[in-house]
């Protein structure tokens, strides 16, 4: 059965766009049914509207705590019968409320080779550190920052003379290539988790 996917995005939404483009060109075994943002200004919300995808925004500042905030999100996810959550630049840590409800059905993408350079500035942190190779990680999300079992990693080299902008561009090209593939694998039920190891069937 086709999976119903919710994409959570806080900002620009280029990974959301890559998923939309992939689903338009390939047989994504799922439908991008919903987009959620914690940021009313997120370009991701505009992208959703442009493609006729249902979207909603909730401001965490309107809630007493993160659990209350997530309870409201969950209500919408349940109403929309969402099977899978794809975090695409969602810069807000999930609590156990959503994690336990969607255990092993939440993906995240991070612009570095985890466990290095976790956090909101993975690209700049790697660049400033002077590493010669960094990359992209797609992993299952858990309640810890950039932490769950790893599905895919692809290296991106920092060549001599690369500016941080050039390096960022190279990272995004890889993100947009591998994230839709990982989402597809999850939709197809082809990811088996064993502890921290993920097997692609
Ligand atoms: C992406 O580079 C993604 O890997 C990163 O946010 C960016 C969102 O870009 N996520 C993290 O750093 C998670 N720790 P986008 O809004 O254009 O998809």
């Amino acid at each position: 059965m086709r999976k119903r996917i919710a994409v959570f995005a806080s900002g620009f939404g280029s990974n959301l766009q890559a998923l939309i483009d992939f689903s338009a060109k390939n047989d994504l075994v799922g439908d991008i049914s919903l987009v959620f943002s914690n940021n009313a200004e997120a370009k991701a919300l505009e992208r959703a509207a442009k493609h006729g995808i249902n979207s909603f925004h909730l401001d965490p500042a309107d809630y007493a705590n993160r659990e209350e905030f997530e309870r409201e999100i969950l209500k919408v996810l349940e109403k929309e019968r969402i099977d899978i959550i794809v975090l695409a630049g969602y810069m807000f840590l999930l609590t156990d409320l959503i994690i336990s409800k969607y255990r092993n059905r939440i993906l995240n993408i991070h612009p570095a080779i985890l466990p290095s350079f976790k956090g909101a500035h993975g690209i700049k942190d790697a660049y400033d550190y002077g590493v010669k190779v960094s990359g992209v990680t797609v992993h299952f999300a858990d309640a810890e920052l950039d932490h769950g079992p790893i599905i895919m990693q692809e290296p991106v080299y920092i060549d001599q003379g690369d500016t941080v902008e050039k390096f960022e561009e190279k990272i995004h090209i890889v993100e947009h290539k591998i994230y839709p593939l990982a989402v597809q694998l999850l939709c197809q039920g082809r990811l088996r988790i064993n502890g921290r190891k993920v097997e692609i069937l």
Side-chain angles (χ1 to χ4, degrees):
M1 217 184 47
R2 292 179 73 79
K3 300 292 185 194
R4 291 178 62 78
I5 301 167
V7 178
F8 286 20
S10 300
F12 190 57
S14 70
N15 281 284
L16 165 66
Q17 189 66 51
L19 265 175
I20 293 171
D21 295 346
F22 180 89
S23 71
K25 277 197 242 106
N26 299 273
D27 280 329
L28 180 65
V29 196
D31 297 304
I32 305 163
S33 308
L34 189 64
V35 170
F36 166 67
S37 186
N38 60 311
N39 168 16
E41 306 297 317
K43 174 102 165 77
L45 291 172
E46 271 175 46
R47 295 183 195 268
K50 184 167 167 225
H51 292 275
I53 301 168
N54 261 352
S55 70
F56 72 113
H57 153 255
L58 297 175
D59 186 343
D62 292 339
Y63 298 86
N65 52 48
R66 284 162 60 209
E67 280 75 16
E68 289 307 312
F69 174 57
E70 285 196 357
R71 231 181 284 285
E72 286 307 305
I73 300 174
L74 269 178
K75 279 187 197 163
V76 184
L77 299 186
E78 275 159 21
K79 188 168 144 272
E80 294 288 330
R81 304 182 323 281
I82 295 301
D83 301 302
I84 286 173
I85 299 173
V86 173
L87 306 179
Y90 183 64
M91 297 308 195
F92 216 78
L93 207 54
L94 294 177
T95 77
D96 251 345
L97 208 66
I98 288 185
I99 297 283
S100 58
K101 193 92 189 167
Y102 281 88
R103 188 166 303 285
N104 301 339
R105 292 187 289 149
I106 309 175
L107 298 186
N108 184 41
I109 188 158
H110 183 69
I113 298 289
L114 292 174
S116 292
F117 305 114
K118 293 180 180 188
H121 309 287
I123 296 174
K124 186 168 185 304
D125 290 347
Y127 184 86
D128 289 347
Y129 196 89
V131 294
K132 303 289 186 194
V133 55
S134 184
V136 176
T137 302
V138 178
H139 64 96
F140 283 102
D142 61 17
E144 259 183 70
L145 176 70
D146 299 326
H147 174 266
I150 291 169
I151 299 162
M152 288 178 183
Q153 292 189 305
E154 187 161 319
V156 174
Y157 291 89
I158 302 172
D159 296 315
Q160 205 158 305
D162 277 358
T163 58
V164 69
E165 291 79 16
K166 173 73 193 171
F167 172 51
E168 182 167 7
E169 216 176 279
K170 287 157 76 171
I171 288 276
H172 289 316
I173 288 169
V174 171
E175 287 192 323
H176 301 160
K177 181 183 79 174
I178 71 171
Y179 209 15
L181 301 178
V183 173
Q184 176 75 312
L185 288 170
L186 182 62
C187 288
Q188 291 171 326
R190 290 175 58 200
L191 298 176
R192 185 155 66 203
I193 308 176
N194 182 9
R196 279 212 56 87
K197 308 275 195 297
V198 179
E199 203 183 331
I200 298 178
L201 306 173

